[in-house]
Amino acid sequence: MGWVLLLAAGCGRGGGSLRAPVLSFGGSGYHDGEFHMPREVGFSPDGRRLYILDRSHRLQVFAPDGRFLEVWPTPAGPLGNPRGLDVDPQGEIYVADTHNSQVLVYSPAGQLLRRWGRSGKRPGEFISVTGVAVDGAGNIWTCEYGGYNDRIQKFDPTGRVLLTRGTFGTRPGEFNRPQGITVGPDGRIYVADAVNHRVQILHPDGSFAAQWGRVGSAPGELRYPYEVEFDAQGRLYVAEFGNCRISVFDRRGRFLTCFGRPGRGPGEFDHPWGVSVAPGGDIYVSDTMNYRIQKFAPLRSD
Protein backbone atom coordinates (compact mmCIF):
# COMPACT_ATOMS: atom_id res chain seq x y z
CA MET A 1 0.00 0.00 0.00
CA GLY A 2 1.32 3.40 -0.99
CA TRP A 3 1.33 6.70 0.83
CA VAL A 4 -1.92 7.88 -0.79
CA LEU A 5 -3.87 4.83 0.36
CA LEU A 6 -2.49 4.97 3.89
CA LEU A 7 -3.42 8.61 4.28
CA ALA A 8 -6.84 8.25 2.72
CA ALA A 9 -7.69 5.46 5.11
CA GLY A 10 -7.48 7.89 8.03
CA CYS A 11 -10.25 10.15 6.73
CA GLY A 12 -13.68 8.91 7.68
CA ARG A 13 -17.14 10.08 6.76
CA GLY A 14 -18.06 13.32 8.49
CA GLY A 15 -14.54 14.23 9.58
CA GLY A 16 -10.83 13.77 9.06
CA SER A 17 -8.02 12.23 11.03
CA LEU A 18 -6.95 14.34 13.98
CA ARG A 19 -3.52 15.96 13.57
CA ALA A 20 -1.96 17.71 16.53
CA PRO A 21 -1.06 21.33 15.79
CA VAL A 22 2.46 22.50 16.54
CA LEU A 23 1.12 25.95 17.43
CA SER A 24 -2.19 27.67 18.13
CA PHE A 25 -2.52 31.41 18.69
CA GLY A 26 -5.12 34.14 18.89
CA GLY A 27 -8.37 34.33 20.80
CA SER A 28 -11.63 36.24 20.55
CA GLY A 29 -11.25 40.01 20.70
CA TYR A 30 -10.20 43.22 19.01
CA HIS A 31 -6.86 43.85 20.74
CA ASP A 32 -3.50 43.25 19.10
CA GLY A 33 -3.01 39.54 18.52
CA GLU A 34 -6.71 38.72 18.94
CA PHE A 35 -9.21 37.95 16.18
CA HIS A 36 -12.79 38.52 15.25
CA MET A 37 -13.47 35.60 12.90
CA PRO A 38 -10.08 35.26 11.14
CA ARG A 39 -10.46 34.65 7.41
CA GLU A 40 -7.14 34.46 5.57
CA VAL A 41 -3.40 34.03 6.11
CA GLY A 42 -0.63 35.03 3.72
CA PHE A 43 3.16 35.07 3.91
CA SER A 44 6.01 37.34 2.93
CA PRO A 45 8.21 35.76 0.24
CA ASP A 46 10.82 34.77 2.86
CA GLY A 47 8.16 33.33 5.19
CA ARG A 48 9.20 35.56 8.09
CA ARG A 49 5.96 37.56 8.28
CA LEU A 50 2.36 36.33 8.40
CA TYR A 51 -0.47 38.60 7.24
CA ILE A 52 -3.86 37.78 8.76
CA LEU A 53 -7.29 39.23 7.94
CA ASP A 54 -10.32 39.11 10.18
CA ARG A 55 -13.57 41.07 10.50
CA SER A 56 -12.11 44.01 12.43
CA HIS A 57 -11.10 46.43 9.63
CA ARG A 58 -7.42 45.57 9.92
CA LEU A 59 -4.57 43.43 8.69
CA GLN A 60 -2.41 42.04 11.49
CA VAL A 61 1.21 41.00 11.03
CA PHE A 62 2.76 38.12 13.01
CA ALA A 63 5.99 36.18 13.18
CA PRO A 64 5.80 32.47 12.25
CA ASP A 65 5.80 31.57 15.96
CA GLY A 66 2.58 33.55 16.50
CA ARG A 67 4.16 36.69 17.99
CA PHE A 68 2.22 39.84 17.12
CA LEU A 69 4.34 42.37 15.22
CA GLU A 70 2.13 45.21 13.96
CA VAL A 71 -1.28 46.10 12.56
CA TRP A 72 -2.50 48.09 9.54
CA PRO A 73 -6.02 49.48 9.17
CA THR A 74 -8.12 48.61 6.14
CA PRO A 75 -10.68 51.10 4.80
CA ALA A 76 -13.84 51.56 6.79
CA GLY A 77 -17.23 50.74 5.31
CA PRO A 78 -20.71 49.65 6.29
CA LEU A 79 -19.39 46.10 6.63
CA GLY A 80 -15.70 46.51 5.89
CA ASN A 81 -15.03 42.81 5.70
CA PRO A 82 -11.91 41.98 3.64
CA ARG A 83 -11.76 38.23 3.04
CA GLY A 84 -8.86 37.34 0.75
CA LEU A 85 -5.21 38.20 0.23
CA ASP A 86 -2.12 37.17 -1.71
CA VAL A 87 1.50 38.31 -1.73
CA ASP A 88 3.58 38.79 -4.88
CA PRO A 89 7.30 37.89 -5.21
CA GLN A 90 8.27 41.50 -4.39
CA GLY A 91 6.36 41.31 -1.11
CA GLU A 92 3.42 43.54 -2.05
CA ILE A 93 0.18 42.43 -0.39
CA TYR A 94 -3.05 42.28 -2.41
CA VAL A 95 -6.27 42.37 -0.38
CA ALA A 96 -9.80 41.58 -1.55
CA ASP A 97 -11.71 44.35 0.28
CA THR A 98 -14.93 42.45 -0.06
CA HIS A 99 -17.74 44.78 0.89
CA ASN A 100 -16.00 47.93 -0.29
CA SER A 101 -15.90 46.36 -3.79
CA GLN A 102 -12.22 46.97 -4.37
CA VAL A 103 -8.71 45.49 -4.40
CA LEU A 104 -6.09 47.08 -2.14
CA VAL A 105 -2.31 46.84 -2.62
CA TYR A 106 0.02 47.43 0.34
CA SER A 107 3.79 47.72 0.48
CA PRO A 108 5.69 45.34 2.79
CA ALA A 109 5.84 48.26 5.25
CA GLY A 110 2.06 48.67 5.27
CA GLN A 111 1.70 51.68 2.98
CA LEU A 112 -1.41 51.61 0.79
CA LEU A 113 0.10 51.89 -2.69
CA ARG A 114 -2.93 51.67 -4.95
CA ARG A 115 -6.48 50.42 -5.19
CA TRP A 116 -9.02 49.74 -7.87
CA GLY A 117 -12.64 48.73 -8.26
CA ARG A 118 -16.05 50.07 -7.36
CA SER A 119 -19.50 48.63 -6.87
CA GLY A 120 -21.07 47.36 -10.06
CA LYS A 121 -21.36 44.55 -12.57
CA ARG A 122 -19.35 45.90 -15.48
CA PRO A 123 -15.81 44.72 -16.24
CA GLY A 124 -13.48 46.01 -13.56
CA GLU A 125 -16.27 46.47 -11.03
CA PHE A 126 -17.25 44.19 -8.14
CA ILE A 127 -20.24 43.32 -6.02
CA SER A 128 -18.50 41.32 -3.25
CA VAL A 129 -14.90 40.45 -4.17
CA THR A 130 -13.84 37.50 -2.03
CA GLY A 131 -10.51 36.23 -3.34
CA VAL A 132 -7.36 37.51 -5.02
CA ALA A 133 -4.37 35.65 -6.51
CA VAL A 134 -1.24 36.80 -8.34
CA ASP A 135 -0.01 34.70 -11.28
CA GLY A 136 3.52 34.19 -12.58
CA ALA A 137 3.26 37.14 -14.96
CA GLY A 138 2.21 39.52 -12.18
CA ASN A 139 -1.43 39.61 -13.23
CA ILE A 140 -4.15 39.53 -10.58
CA TRP A 141 -7.12 37.16 -10.57
CA THR A 142 -10.21 37.80 -8.46
CA CYS A 143 -13.42 35.95 -7.65
CA GLU A 144 -16.68 37.58 -6.59
CA TYR A 145 -20.34 36.95 -5.95
CA GLY A 146 -23.55 38.89 -5.39
CA GLY A 147 -26.38 40.12 -7.56
CA TYR A 148 -26.12 36.98 -9.73
CA ASN A 149 -22.75 38.35 -10.84
CA ASP A 150 -20.67 35.39 -9.63
CA ARG A 151 -17.56 35.44 -11.80
CA ILE A 152 -13.77 35.58 -12.22
CA GLN A 153 -11.82 38.64 -13.39
CA LYS A 154 -8.20 39.12 -14.42
CA PHE A 155 -6.30 42.42 -14.10
CA ASP A 156 -2.84 43.67 -14.96
CA PRO A 157 -0.69 44.97 -12.07
CA THR A 158 -2.09 48.50 -12.47
CA GLY A 159 -5.69 47.30 -12.13
CA ARG A 160 -6.63 47.38 -15.83
CA VAL A 161 -9.15 44.64 -16.48
CA LEU A 162 -7.97 41.99 -18.96
CA LEU A 163 -10.86 39.52 -18.96
CA THR A 164 -14.03 38.46 -17.17
CA ARG A 165 -15.38 34.92 -17.17
CA GLY A 166 -18.35 33.13 -15.68
CA THR A 167 -21.80 33.87 -14.37
CA PHE A 168 -24.11 32.59 -11.64
CA GLY A 169 -25.07 28.93 -12.07
CA THR A 170 -24.19 25.29 -11.63
CA ARG A 171 -22.84 24.30 -15.04
CA PRO A 172 -19.14 24.09 -15.90
CA GLY A 173 -17.72 27.59 -16.05
CA GLU A 174 -20.49 28.97 -13.83
CA PHE A 175 -20.16 29.79 -10.13
CA ASN A 176 -22.24 30.00 -6.98
CA ARG A 177 -20.57 32.14 -4.32
CA PRO A 178 -16.92 31.52 -5.18
CA GLN A 179 -14.85 32.22 -2.07
CA GLY A 180 -11.20 31.44 -2.76
CA ILE A 181 -8.85 31.46 -5.72
CA THR A 182 -5.24 30.44 -6.38
CA VAL A 183 -2.87 29.91 -9.29
CA GLY A 184 -1.55 26.38 -9.61
CA PRO A 185 1.99 25.31 -10.50
CA ASP A 186 0.61 24.48 -13.97
CA GLY A 187 -0.50 28.11 -14.45
CA ARG A 188 -4.18 27.21 -14.29
CA ILE A 189 -6.64 28.99 -12.01
CA TYR A 190 -8.26 27.02 -9.15
CA VAL A 191 -11.48 28.36 -7.61
CA ALA A 192 -13.28 27.29 -4.43
CA ASP A 193 -16.82 27.27 -5.87
CA ALA A 194 -18.41 27.17 -2.44
CA VAL A 195 -22.15 26.64 -2.88
CA ASN A 196 -21.57 24.29 -5.82
CA HIS A 197 -19.38 22.22 -3.42
CA ARG A 198 -16.55 21.84 -5.90
CA VAL A 199 -13.21 23.16 -7.10
CA GLN A 200 -13.27 24.55 -10.62
CA ILE A 201 -10.13 24.85 -12.73
CA LEU A 202 -9.73 27.40 -15.53
CA HIS A 203 -7.11 27.70 -18.25
CA PRO A 204 -5.02 30.90 -18.24
CA ASP A 205 -7.36 32.33 -20.89
CA GLY A 206 -10.26 31.91 -18.46
CA SER A 207 -11.89 28.98 -20.27
CA PHE A 208 -13.18 26.00 -18.31
CA ALA A 209 -10.70 23.15 -17.82
CA ALA A 210 -12.04 20.76 -15.17
CA GLN A 211 -13.87 20.43 -11.88
CA TRP A 212 -13.31 18.31 -8.77
CA GLY A 213 -15.59 17.24 -5.97
CA ARG A 214 -19.25 16.83 -5.19
CA VAL A 215 -21.31 17.61 -2.13
CA GLY A 216 -20.83 15.27 0.80
CA SER A 217 -18.67 14.35 3.76
CA ALA A 218 -17.02 11.15 2.53
CA PRO A 219 -13.32 11.23 1.60
CA GLY A 220 -12.89 13.33 -1.56
CA GLU A 221 -16.30 14.98 -1.23
CA LEU A 222 -16.65 18.64 -0.31
CA ARG A 223 -19.04 20.78 1.67
CA TYR A 224 -18.70 24.53 1.23
CA PRO A 225 -15.05 24.77 0.17
CA TYR A 226 -13.90 28.29 1.06
CA GLU A 227 -10.19 28.35 0.24
CA VAL A 228 -7.70 26.57 -2.00
CA GLU A 229 -3.90 26.61 -1.71
CA PHE A 230 -0.98 24.66 -3.21
CA ASP A 231 2.19 23.51 -1.49
CA ALA A 232 5.61 23.14 -3.10
CA GLN A 233 4.89 19.48 -3.97
CA GLY A 234 1.85 20.47 -6.03
CA ARG A 235 -0.75 19.23 -3.54
CA LEU A 236 -3.95 21.25 -3.29
CA TYR A 237 -5.34 22.01 0.18
CA VAL A 238 -9.04 22.83 0.47
CA ALA A 239 -10.54 24.46 3.57
CA GLU A 240 -14.03 22.99 3.98
CA PHE A 241 -16.17 25.43 5.92
CA GLY A 242 -19.06 22.96 6.04
CA ASN A 243 -17.14 19.79 6.94
CA CYS A 244 -14.81 21.51 9.43
CA ARG A 245 -11.72 19.93 7.91
CA ILE A 246 -8.88 20.37 5.44
CA SER A 247 -8.89 18.05 2.42
CA VAL A 248 -5.81 17.47 0.27
CA PHE A 249 -5.70 16.45 -3.40
CA ASP A 250 -2.93 15.81 -5.88
CA ARG A 251 -2.64 17.96 -9.00
CA ARG A 252 -4.84 15.53 -10.94
CA GLY A 253 -7.67 15.86 -8.44
CA ARG A 254 -7.10 12.53 -6.69
CA PHE A 255 -7.95 12.62 -3.01
CA LEU A 256 -4.94 12.12 -0.72
CA THR A 257 -6.03 12.80 2.85
CA CYS A 258 -7.96 15.10 5.15
CA PHE A 259 -7.54 16.24 8.73
CA GLY A 260 -9.68 17.94 11.32
CA ARG A 261 -13.17 17.48 12.74
CA PRO A 262 -15.78 19.74 14.36
CA GLY A 263 -14.78 20.91 17.81
CA ARG A 264 -12.74 23.29 19.90
CA GLY A 265 -9.82 21.10 20.95
CA PRO A 266 -6.33 21.01 19.41
CA GLY A 267 -6.57 19.93 15.77
CA GLU A 268 -10.34 20.45 15.67
CA PHE A 269 -12.03 23.25 13.74
CA ASP A 270 -15.16 25.35 13.94
CA HIS A 271 -15.95 26.37 10.33
CA PRO A 272 -12.43 27.00 9.03
CA TRP A 273 -12.40 29.73 6.39
CA GLY A 274 -8.84 29.63 5.10
CA VAL A 275 -5.76 27.47 4.67
CA SER A 276 -2.30 28.61 3.59
CA VAL A 277 1.03 26.85 3.23
CA ALA A 278 4.17 28.69 4.33
CA PRO A 279 7.29 28.66 2.13
CA GLY A 280 8.80 26.04 4.44
CA GLY A 281 5.75 23.78 4.17
CA ASP A 282 4.01 24.49 7.48
CA ILE A 283 0.21 24.59 7.16
CA TYR A 284 -1.75 27.45 8.75
CA VAL A 285 -5.53 27.18 9.16
CA SER A 286 -7.88 30.09 9.86
CA ASP A 287 -10.03 28.37 12.49
CA THR A 288 -12.67 31.03 12.10
CA MET A 289 -15.33 30.39 14.72
CA ASN A 290 -12.71 29.30 17.26
CA TYR A 291 -11.09 32.72 16.75
CA ARG A 292 -7.61 31.31 16.35
CA ILE A 293 -4.94 30.23 13.90
CA GLN A 294 -3.66 26.65 14.07
CA LYS A 295 -0.29 25.70 12.60
CA PHE A 296 0.52 22.13 11.49
CA ALA A 297 3.77 20.49 10.45
CA PRO A 298 4.20 19.76 6.74
CA LEU A 299 2.65 16.60 5.35
CA ARG A 300 5.00 13.78 4.46
CA SER A 301 5.95 13.67 0.82
CA ASP A 302 7.25 10.10 0.61
Side-chain angles (χ1 to χ4, degrees):
M1 292 174 63
W3 172 75
V4 171
L5 291 177
L6 288 171
L7 282 177
C11 183
R13 182 175 294 273
S17 60
L18 197 62
R19 300 188 76 222
V22 298
L23 176 68
S24 177
F25 61 94
S28 178
Y30 293 87
H31 294 104
D32 293 347
E34 298 175 338
F35 302 113
H36 178 53
M37 298 174 62
R39 301 298 181 85
E40 178 67 294
V41 179
F43 306 93
S44 61
D46 61 7
R48 297 175 64 181
R49 290 163 67 87
L50 279 64
Y51 306 105
I52 301 177
L53 291 173
D54 66 359
R55 294 192 65 181
S56 60
H57 300 276
R58 61 183 178 169
L59 190 158
Q60 295 191 74
V61 187
F62 294 81
D65 62 4
R67 288 179 296 115
F68 171 82
L69 298 178
E70 59 181 312
V71 62
W72 311 335
T74 58
L79 295 173
N81 181 7
R83 293 185 182 174
L85 66 83
D86 198 11
V87 183
D88 71 14
Q90 289 71 48
E92 292 187 353
I93 302 99
Y94 291 75
V95 174
D97 191 12
T98 305
H99 292 112
N100 287 322
S101 304
Q102 61 184 352
V103 172
L104 312 170
V105 187
Y106 291 91
S107 74
Q111 178 186 4
L112 182 58
L113 300 176
R114 57 192 181 276
R115 68 176 83 186
W116 69 83
R118 62 182 182 183
S119 182
K121 297 184 178 182
R122 294 182 296 182
E125 299 176 337
F126 305 107
I127 300 298
S128 295
V129 54
T130 52
V132 59
V134 184
D135 68 19
N139 297 310
I140 297 90
W141 294 79
T142 63
C143 57
E144 65 180 294
Y145 74 92
Y148 299 101
N149 199 49
D150 302 36
R151 64 180 178 177
I152 306 303
Q153 298 195 76
K154 178 183 178 182
F155 300 86
D156 73 10
T158 69
R160 181 174 63 92
V161 64
L162 300 177
L163 64 81
T164 64
R165 291 290 186 273
T167 186
F168 178 83
T170 61
R171 295 179 298 181
E174 298 177 342
F175 302 95
N176 190 349
R177 205 176 179 96
Q179 289 285 354
I181 188 169
T182 194
V183 181
D186 55 6
R188 298 192 299 178
I189 313 306
Y190 293 72
V191 182
D193 189 9
V195 182
N196 283 327
H197 309 287
R198 65 189 178 188
V199 174
Q200 282 207 71
I201 302 100
L202 308 179
H203 292 296
D205 65 1
S207 61
F208 174 80
Q211 63 185 37
W212 303 345
R214 62 181 183 183
V215 64
S217 299
E221 297 178 338
L222 301 171
R223 192 175 298 277
Y224 297 103
Y226 268 23
E227 183 61 286
V228 283
E229 175 83 359
F230 278 95
D231 68 11
Q233 286 72 43
R235 298 174 295 206
L236 182 72
Y237 296 71
V238 182
E240 293 188 65
F241 187 83
N243 279 329
C244 295
R245 69 187 185 191
I246 305 299
S247 286
V248 188
F249 299 83
D250 72 10
R251 65 182 63 197
R252 296 181 180 178
R254 295 181 300 180
F255 173 78
L256 297 177
T257 188
C258 66
F259 59 93
R261 65 187 182 197
R264 299 188 179 278
E268 298 177 333
F269 304 120
D270 189 351
H271 295 89
W273 199 289
V275 58
S276 293
V277 182
D282 290 316
I283 305 155
Y284 289 74
V285 178
S286 300
D287 189 6
T288 302
M289 299 308 298
N290 281 326
Y291 299 90
R292 66 186 178 187
I293 303 297
Q294 294 196 69
K295 174 184 176 181
F296 299 86
L299 293 182
R300 291 189 300 126
S301 57
D302 55 359

